[in-house]
Amino acid sequence: MQNSWQRLGLFLSLFCLWPIAIAQDLFGEQPLPGVDEAIQLITDADWDNQQLLLDFELMEDVYLYQHRFGFSLRDQNGNVLEDFADYALPPGKDKTDEIFGDVEVYYDRLTLNLPVTSVPLVATELEVRYQGCIEDTLCYPPTRKVIPLANPSPAKKPPAAQAARPADTASSNNDDGGFLSTLQSDDANAFNRWMNDRSLGLVIGLFFVGGLLLAFTPCVFPMVPILSGIIAGEKEPSASRGFVLSTSYVLGMAVPYTFAGLLVAVFGAGLNLQFLLQQPAAIITSTVIFVLLALSMFGLYELQLPAFLRNKLHQPGESKRGSLFGAAIMGTISALVVSPCVTPILAGALIYVAASGDALTGAASLFALSMGMGLPLIIFGTGGGSLLPRAGMWMEEIKRFFGVVMLGVAIWLLDRIINGTITLGLYGLLLAVYGVQLGALEAAGEGIARLKRGIALVLALYGSVMIVGALSGGDDPLQPLAPMTQSAPATATTSAPGDHGPWQTILGRDNLSNALANSRQAGKPVLVDFFAEWCVACKVLEETTLSDAQVLAAMKDFDLYRVDITEINADSQAIMEQYNILGLPALVFFTPEGMELPESRVLGEMKPDRFLEHLDKRVMPGL
């Protein structure tokens, strides 16, 4: 028995020494090289050209398997930004391998350029997986390397990259005129670049002025009727009371912006707050709050602070503290869900805050931005408070009107997560009931009473038409009876109701990838419009610029894709993460080779003339 074990041990020793003996013939007396010595990997990130560079240097008689490669680009939280699933490796040499059979392998040197769909805004890490062998000697185990990549923010680019910028952009860093041109720029990175190496005080001032510009965009318009409703709910509105209420509203609005600045500074711009705040739970919660506020406008109850807080704050005029608290809460809710669009200034602010990595800078900057946005609201609220009528029947009518407005806002919020037909029915029910409440079914009086009844009849009738349209399958408040007026064959042949002109509507990440692949094979440049029904600025951009005849003529050689991410789901989230969409609206340009054009994105609204200028200066030269 002992002899058997000795013979087995001798056999195993000879078996293990056999490849070493062969290796000694190849490498002499030197020990076998380790995998890092035999296969040297050098990596670099070329963010300007949106690609990652990999260079494999192989020792003599060492080869790499083509089918054993794998790549993934992740952020610091482990979220996959790119999996390079569509990347095609170059052809290798045919080889019949003892382990894998007929394969393709690489000898000597292999250089790879991994295209990045969009430049990430935070520090990342690249994972590379590969396996190699020494010819007729041994195979190394599968190797996995994780290479950290620096934050690609413009602040960290080398001087050469700074000098390579277009003259008009670079000059904005060197003169006072650059301040105004930066605020008016349609490039989110221009706002970020201008703030590099500036003092914190100057940066906060720029954020405040940028907020003033944001106040005159569709992002802020929905806040006006909400603030009006809060002021109208006062028993005795006045200029001073309007100022106090509107200031409370704006300070409440500043809370989520400040908190967002802090979070983005800590976690990076990849934290897509805009999308997170459109989740069903957030929308339903906000809808309930608006309904409760509307019911208080109808006199069912009075919103005020809880009793234990009122007792602590007991003093003359304590009843007014409840409305101040309510105004602040409504400001917070409005900032979270009522204004979910992005602009170049806001996107640039997020890029800057993410690159700074400083929580204090992030919080202070976004607070200044929100106060700039709120200043016109304070002015409006102060003037509106003095213009509203005093207590009486007129005041009650105005309060009920703003109660209806609040219910309309609640339905508008629900439209993001419910069927359009149901939304149309709810709008119709609201108008019909309000028309009846105004006196549509009462006897006509004289003068103002007759005019009031006429308005009530119109509201009730139009609301009834909307209800009928909803029952027939309609979903457009402006054309509620459209399904009933369309012929059956026309309806049957409509395969993509969302398409308009040359634009092709796309739903889902896979469909978008397939469309981009088809355009790449056809050698055509691409413009992708990331769109959502709940984005006010998206609709404005679509109805004005993206349907303009001159704009469409200038892009006649482009494939135009409209990616609808209205529905709040994991697929939409994945699309926004993959293409680094900070917020909506966002237009992304791709070359015929399928790479995004650097510094060509359009964020927020842009008029047709400025869009054409953008095409000439930033898009066409790169194609």
Side-chain angles (χ1 to χ4, degrees), residues 61-81:
D61 295 318
V62 176
Y63 60 87
L64 288 168
Y65 292 109
Q66 183 192 65
H67 68 286
R68 299 293 285 174
F69 276 103
F71 314 95
S72 62
L73 182 67
R74 300 188 299 262
D75 61 19
Q76 293 174 320
N77 297 320
N79 300 311
V80 176
L81 305 178

Side-chain angles (χ1 to χ4, degrees), residues 124-197:
T124 56
E125 58 183 23
L126 175 66
E127 179 181 312
V128 183
R129 300 178 296 278
Y130 55 90
Q131 185 175 8
C133 295
I134 301 177
E135 191 78 60
D136 298 327
T137 304
L138 61 84
C139 279
Y140 294 106
T143 303
R144 172 181 175 272
K145 286 189 175 298
V146 177
I147 301 98
L149 301 175
N151 187 337
S153 63
K156 298 185 180 181
K157 287 184 178 180
Q162 300 282 355
R165 295 191 192 124
D168 60 333
T169 303
S171 63
S172 67
N173 290 333
N174 301 322
D175 54 52
D176 295 334
F179 182 89
L180 297 178
S181 63
T182 298
L183 290 176
Q184 298 173 359
S185 174
D186 296 301
D187 178 14
N189 286 308
F191 190 86
N192 178 28
R193 284 191 296 265
W194 194 93
M195 291 183 291
N196 291 330
D197 301 325

Side-chain angles (χ1 to χ4, degrees), residues 290-291 294-295 298 402-412 427 430:
F290 277 102
V291 171
L295 295 179
F298 298 139
F402 281 111
V404 173
V405 171
M406 295 295 177
L407 290 177
V409 172
I411 297 173
W412 176 62
Y427 278 131
L430 177 62

Side-chain angles (χ1 to χ4, degrees), residues 271-283 568 573 576:
L271 181 66
N272 200 313
L273 296 174
Q274 181 199 34
F275 189 88
L276 295 177
L277 295 173
Q278 299 306 308
Q279 298 297 322
I283 291 175
I568 311 298
Q573 177 75 58
M576 297 187 77

Side-chain angles (χ1 to χ4, degrees), residues 53-391:
L53 309 178
L54 283 71
D55 190 15
F56 292 88
E57 295 280 355
L58 310 179
M59 293 183 64
E60 186 178 0
D61 295 318
V62 176
Y63 60 87
L64 288 168
Y65 292 109
Q66 183 192 65
H67 68 286
R68 299 293 285 174
F69 276 103
F71 314 95
S72 62
L73 182 67
R74 300 188 299 262
D75 61 19
Q76 293 174 320
N77 297 320
N79 300 311
V80 176
L81 305 178
E82 296 274 0
D83 57 11
F84 304 100
D86 299 329
Y87 177 70
L89 288 160
K93 293 184 178 180
D94 295 329
K95 178 180 178 60
T96 300
D97 187 74
E98 295 180 356
I99 301 176
F100 298 108
D102 293 335
V103 294
E104 291 188 39
V105 298
Y106 304 103
Y107 290 93
D108 300 327
R109 182 174 183 175
L110 174 63
T111 300
L112 302 177
N113 298 335
L114 301 180
V116 181
T117 305
S118 59
V119 177
L121 303 177
V122 294
T124 56
E125 58 183 23
L126 175 66
E127 179 181 312
V128 183
R129 300 178 296 278
Y130 55 90
Q131 185 175 8
C133 295
I134 301 177
E135 191 78 60
D136 298 327
T137 304
L138 61 84
C139 279
Y140 294 106
T143 303
R144 172 181 175 272
K145 286 189 175 298
V146 177
I147 301 98
L149 301 175
N151 187 337
S153 63
K156 298 185 180 181
K157 287 184 178 180
Q162 300 282 355
R165 295 191 192 124
D168 60 333
T169 303
S171 63
S172 67
N173 290 333
N174 301 322
D175 54 52
D176 295 334
F179 182 89
L180 297 178
S181 63
T182 298
L183 290 176
Q184 298 173 359
S185 174
D186 296 301
D187 178 14
N189 286 308
F191 190 86
N192 178 28
R193 284 191 296 265
W194 194 93
M195 291 183 291
N196 291 330
D197 301 325
R198 307 286 179 174
S199 65
L200 180 59
L202 186 59
V203 167
I204 290 177
L206 180 60
F207 271 86
F208 181 82
V209 178
L212 279 175
L213 296 181
L214 285 178
F216 299 100
T217 65
C219 301
V220 181
F221 289 164
M223 298 183 181
V224 175
I226 297 172
L227 180 58
S228 301
I230 294 172
I231 297 174
E234 287 294 293
K235 295 180 179 179
E236 296 183 1
S238 63
S240 59
R241 189 59 183 163
F243 172 79
V244 172
L245 285 172
S246 56
T247 301
S248 298
Y249 180 87
V250 170
L251 288 175
M253 185 182 75
V255 171
Y257 276 94
T258 305
F259 192 58
L262 188 149
L263 290 178
V264 170
V266 174
F267 296 104
L271 181 66
N272 200 313
L273 296 174
Q274 181 199 34
F275 189 88
L276 295 177
L277 295 173
Q278 299 306 308
Q279 298 297 322
I283 291 175
I284 291 174
T285 301
S286 304
T287 300
V288 170
I289 293 176
F290 277 102
V291 171
L292 293 176
L293 182 62
L295 295 179
S296 72
M297 292 286 184
F298 298 139
L300 297 182
Y301 49 79
E302 182 177 353
L303 291 177
Q304 57 183 356
L305 285 172
F308 73 94
L309 287 178
R310 292 201 310 272
N311 294 334
K312 291 182 179 180
L313 300 173
H314 179 71
Q315 60 177 345
E318 67 175 39
S319 61
K320 295 183 179 181
R321 293 186 173 272
S323 57
L324 293 181
F325 179 76
I329 292 297
M330 290 308 301
T332 302
I333 297 298
S334 300
L336 288 174
V337 293
V338 177
S339 172
C341 53
V342 73
T343 63
I345 292 176
L346 182 55
L350 293 175
I351 295 172
Y352 171 79
V353 168
S356 71
D358 181 70
L360 177 60
T361 299
S365 301
L366 268 295
F367 176 79
L369 182 82
S370 61
M371 294 307 294
M373 291 173 57
L375 181 59
L377 291 174
I378 295 176
I379 296 174
F380 168 80
T382 303
S386 61
L387 296 177
L388 288 173
R390 295 298 180 264

